[in-house]
Structure formats: structure tokens, C-alpha cells
Amino acid sequence: DAKTTQPTSMDCAEGRAANLPCNHSTISGNEYVYWYRQIHSQGPQYIIHGLKNNETNEMASLIITEDRKSSTLILPHATLRDTAVYYCIVRSPSSTLTFGKGTMLLVSP
Amino acid sequence: GAVVSQHPSWVICKSGTSVKIECRSLDFQATTMFWYRQFPKQSLMLMATSNEGSKATYEQGVEKDKFLINHASLTLSTLTVTSAHPEDSSFYICSARELQGYEQYFGPGTRLTVT
């Protein structure tokens, strides 16, 4: 599976949009971009995934560049409960999820 | 839907004893289950993959005789940490993939502390 690069940490003010970037320049044609998050001492929580089109659900939006070499996860109105480690994972449909170091997002009042 | 539970949520055991952690898929059948381990301030590391009715496949560096995995049914997998030592203290997380599916669903994790 392709490797991903994420910033180690980011800060966001409560109520503002949180934009989390991810680089995956070696992504292959059949690989999807997945985002999970992990709140302290809990299991990972699925957020969203996409192949090449932008995706939106009740939690977030995923913007994938046209060349698919990078993506951005957008939390439109961050709350304190969104403080977590966010993992960007690139995987083919049948492969096992492998976690990198992720981005620690701290949402402050 | 797609709920995975783990039991216990936390456990403290003495060095040298064994402890069993259960992982259940509550509303789907999981042909494949995964066990991850997470040390403080680190990411999740895959320990092993188990398919129902088959022996587990362990990642490099994970001792199969120390971390016994049983996946005897489509809804239950167990991880037994044998002869536990303080360095086995960690957060253990299971994940399940349903029959003919690609998505992995995660349990809430089990915090193991070995004293």
C-alpha cells in the first residue's frame, strides 16, 4: 500500500473548520484514501473514504486532488470532542489497514 | 450496524499469569479478525490476522506462542497473552471484517496492565 505523510500536529479553534492534509504521492489506481480517528484510549473510528471524487458525510468532507497525490479531510465546525489523532490511510480494497503516526488535532475553546 | 465489542475493557494481572481478551462481532459475521497493539504515544501495530477456522498469521516479531489467537466462530476471536510480563502492558484492539466485505470495524480496545 502507498505511504502517507501527515503533519504531526495541528490546532483548531472550536467552531472553525479543521483542514487536515495528507500526501500520498505513490498511490496506485485501485487504492482508496481512508480516514480514521482515534480519541484517547478508544478504538479507531471510521470517518470517510474515497477513490477519486470528493466525498461528504455527516462527519466530514474529503477532498482528493485530481492527480490523487494528496487529500484533505475537512471537519466543517470543529468541536472539543473532535480532539483526536487522525489517520490517513491508503489501501487497496482487500488489504489490511495499516496505521501511520497520524495527525494530533487539538481543538481549543 | 457493524459493531465490534471487546471484553474486558481493562484488566490488571500479575507477571507470569495469562489473560484472555475476547473480541465479538455483534451484528455481522466476521470471517477475518485482526489484532492490533498500541503502546503509549505510538500508533497501532498489527499483531496478527485470523481467519475463522484457520490458524492465525502473525506479523514479524510477534511471538505466536506468547500471543495465542483463537477464531473458532464467525463472531468470536480471542487473544490470550501467556506468561504476561510488564512489557506486555499495552492497549489491545481488535478489528473484524465481514464475509465478502472489505471494511474493517474496530472494537473499543482492552487496556492490559501487567504488574
Side-chain angles (χ1 to χ4, degrees):
Chain A
D1 290 334
K3 181 180 177 180
T4 61
T5 304
Q6 299 179 251
T8 302
S9 63
M10 294 184 65
D11 294 327
C12 179
E14 187 178 22
R16 304 297 293 267
N19 297 285
L20 291 88
C22 179
N23 286 322
H24 31 78
S25 58
T26 60
I27 191 170
S28 300
N30 70 333
E31 290 181 319
Y32 288 74
V33 180
Y34 277 76
W35 284 84
Y36 282 78
R37 73 179 182 184
Q38 186 180 26
I39 296 170
H40 183 62
S41 293
Q42 295 184 24
Q45 177 187 21
Y46 166 82
I47 301 174
I48 199 168
H49 76 279
L51 183 62
K52 53 184 178 181
N53 296 324
N54 298 337
E55 302 287 343
T56 296
N57 62 21
E58 64 278 5
M59 289 183 67
S61 295
L62 173 61
I63 307 299
I64 302 174
T65 58
E66 192 169 343
D67 63 7
R68 301 208 321 124
K69 293 185 177 182
S70 66
S71 61
T72 301
L73 178 74
I74 302 172
L75 307 179
H77 305 287
T79 70
L80 299 180
R81 286 180 288 184
D82 291 323
T83 291
V85 178
Y86 287 76
Y87 297 98
C88 170
I89 302 170
V90 172
R91 66 180 287 232
S92 59
S94 59
S95 67
T96 303
L97 283 169
T98 303
F99 291 80
K101 296 183 179 180
T103 296
M104 174 66 219
L105 175 68
L106 176 62
V107 181
S108 302
Chain B
V3 178
V4 177
S5 70
Q6 284 185 240
H7 178 79
S9 55
W10 59 270
V11 58
I12 301 173
C13 71
K14 292 186 176 181
S15 186
T17 63
S18 296
V19 62
K20 180 184 289 188
I21 302 170
E22 293 185 349
C23 175
R24 294 181 185 273
S25 57
L26 299 185
D27 51 3
F28 67 98
Q29 293 185 321
T31 51
T32 306
M33 285 190 173
F34 310 87
W35 286 95
Y36 294 80
R37 178 170 55 182
Q38 185 175 34
F39 292 109
K41 299 187 184 301
Q42 295 187 23
S43 189
L44 287 79
M45 295 297 295
L46 181 67
M47 299 175 65
T49 301
S50 70
N51 291 298
E52 187 263 338
S54 302
K55 289 185 178 180
T57 301
Y58 291 81
E59 296 299 303
Q60 190 173 10
V62 177
E63 301 175 56
K64 62 179 181 181
D65 295 329
K66 181 172 184 60
F67 298 99
L68 302 180
I69 293 172
N70 183 285
H71 189 173
S73 80
L74 286 173
T75 59
L76 173 65
S77 176
T78 60
L79 168 68
T80 301
V81 183
T82 63
S83 187
H85 291 284
E87 55 265 32
D88 298 323
S89 298
S90 188
F91 192 50
Y92 291 87
I93 304 166
C94 75
S95 175
R97 186 164 67 199
E98 59 186 331
L99 187 66
Q100 296 181 342
Y102 297 120
E103 306 307 335
Q104 283 183 232
Y105 305 101
F106 287 85
T110 297
R111 175 76 58 192
L112 170 64
T113 301
V114 184
T115 60

